[in-house]
Amino acid sequence: MNQTLLVLQMEQSEIKNTAAAIKYCYNKIIFNQENRLTYTKYLSQLLEEQTPKAFLNTFKELRAFSYGPSDWNWFDINESIVTSLSSINSASFWSWLVCHPNGYVRECALKKLSMESFENTLPFLLLTLNDHVENVRKRAEQAINNRFMQENEATILFSFPLIKRLKELEHKENLDVYDRLNTNLLNRFSLLEKAQESKDIYISRYGFELSFQLKEQHRAQGIKNGLGKKDRMILRWTFNEILKEDQWENKYLAHLLSHPQMIIRKLACEWCYNNRMKEERMIPKLLDQTVAINYLALDYVKKHFPEIDCREYYLQHLKDNPINAIHGLAILQDQRDQERMLPLINSRKKKIRVSVLNWIDCLPFDEQLPVYIDCLSDPSRDVRNKAVAQLIKHYSLSIKEWLIPLFKEKKETHSQLSIIKILGEESRKDYFYDLVSLYVYASDQSVKDKIELQLAGWILSWNRRFFFKFSLKDKVELAYLMNKNYEGYSASVLDVLRQVLGAK
């Protein structure tokens, strides 16, 4: 959380966001005239602590008008009040007033800003270019044209996403300023490089977008910088730019196929798959750590290198690259690997256990079932989810006969939650009985909470009334369970039971 916002929230608990904090500061400065220097300083700090995206949201919140009462007299600020204020106020004081819903206040604030050589005003001027008042737009455009070259670099970098936004807006002033500012920025590559290194992803993206419009050395440097980023969009743009280079295969392809970022490796593999025959550098991709690349490489090798036995390839790399080799065997699903794969379900490495569950699909289901049951209590969520998905897919009464005793005997939270999820695949009436009877065997409160939630959902479901009717025999059985476990049931469970027993 922003430090200045936190300080103001400690002072006034009703402040919920930055826009409210700014209104509060103006109330103190203009109406209460209390600690004016302190609150003016807060206005400056609130801007410094904003990201471009957060700043845009704050601007919109400050501009919003309603006919109801305003927070901290924000709507009470008018032209007469602003014109009576001292012109020696800081840039931050006048800048935030550019966001005011009153057009006269905005215009007056712009006049004050144009009379002084204030810094850090560019973001406010860029947003004001889309003002519905033409005179305000013209003043903002004039101020940008006069001051952009003198604005400090930090503020220009902050404004990158706001400059990009101009292209999407309707007023002519936006496009005129957009073209002029971009022309200026394209001549300042050092500034674009700083933008590329920004921690704010929107600043960084626009820095690359502009860099790729440059020629020769600067464009090549932009590509090099792009390959070092982690953002998927920047990486995809960079790859597309590389494809435009002459002789790019000789210069880049080997590096792209082994790039540390998955998206680049995948794009390079897809290009080879669609454009190259007998590309030997695709063979090592059989052992890539990404599933999508594994499948792509496997299909490619089978198609273009039929002489290579892929299973044998994976077996040869079991020692030097065990996780990816085992995953490759899992994709092939060859029953000859049964003695090798099944014991690995006890591996300490989660990825290997998941690979075993992927491979085991090649066995008859009665041989798969005990493995899935054991995995319901696995410490890894991925392993449990894989087992749950398979048991749901093949759900039957025989599986239920495994699960009910397991729930009662093996009181482990992970296992019990998984079983509840699987039981949801049976008929809703049987599911209700199971939940009521299993509640008293819950290992902890989280399991009980889950059962209560499921029971409440069952009661509220639209089809319960129409498709499930409880006979007198059913109600007698439920009443027996209710009396037997009365002290073990929560108020929520008892309420659900009473609703069923009282239904006609």
Side-chain angles (χ1 to χ4, degrees), residues 373-390:
I373 296 295
D374 288 341
C375 288
L376 293 178
S377 56
D378 193 277
S380 167
R381 181 186 300 176
D382 291 341
V383 175
R384 295 196 305 273
N385 287 345
K386 183 70 177 178
V388 167
Q390 289 299 312

Side-chain angles (χ1 to χ4, degrees), residues 315-437:
L315 293 175
Q316 290 172 0
H317 288 85
L318 278 174
K319 289 185 178 180
D320 59 272
N321 198 342
I323 293 178
N324 294 332
I326 290 168
H327 183 69
L329 292 174
I331 294 175
L332 294 176
Q333 293 185 336
D334 194 314
Q335 290 191 11
R336 290 176 293 175
D337 296 317
Q338 183 169 355
E339 293 184 2
R340 178 178 291 104
M341 296 294 284
L342 280 181
L344 294 176
I345 197 63
N346 299 312
S347 172
R348 293 181 179 180
K349 296 181 179 180
K350 175 193 73 174
K351 289 185 178 180
I352 290 181
R353 301 198 301 276
V354 171
S355 292
V356 174
L357 292 183
N358 288 328
W359 170 86
I360 205 174
D361 214 28
C362 66
L363 299 180
F365 185 73
D366 59 344
E367 296 182 35
Q368 300 176 41
L369 182 57
V371 179
Y372 294 141
I373 296 295
D374 288 341
C375 288
L376 293 178
S377 56
D378 193 277
S380 167
R381 181 186 300 176
D382 291 341
V383 175
R384 295 196 305 273
N385 287 345
K386 183 70 177 178
V388 167
Q390 289 299 312
L391 289 171
I392 288 175
K393 178 181 177 181
H394 299 282
Y395 187 80
S396 64
L397 291 179
S398 61
I399 291 179
K400 177 180 175 179
E401 292 174 358
W402 282 70
L403 297 179
I404 297 296
L406 182 65
F407 187 100
K408 296 177 180 179
E409 297 166 7
K410 198 171 185 178
K411 293 192 174 183
E412 294 181 356
T413 302
H414 291 322
S415 177
Q416 289 189 338
L417 289 173
S418 297
I419 290 171
I420 292 171
K421 186 174 182 179
I422 297 166
L423 290 177
E425 294 303 301
E426 65 179 319
S427 70
R428 302 294 288 176
K429 192 172 180 181
D430 291 340
Y431 182 38
F432 182 86
Y433 279 115
D434 293 335
L435 290 180
V436 170
S437 61

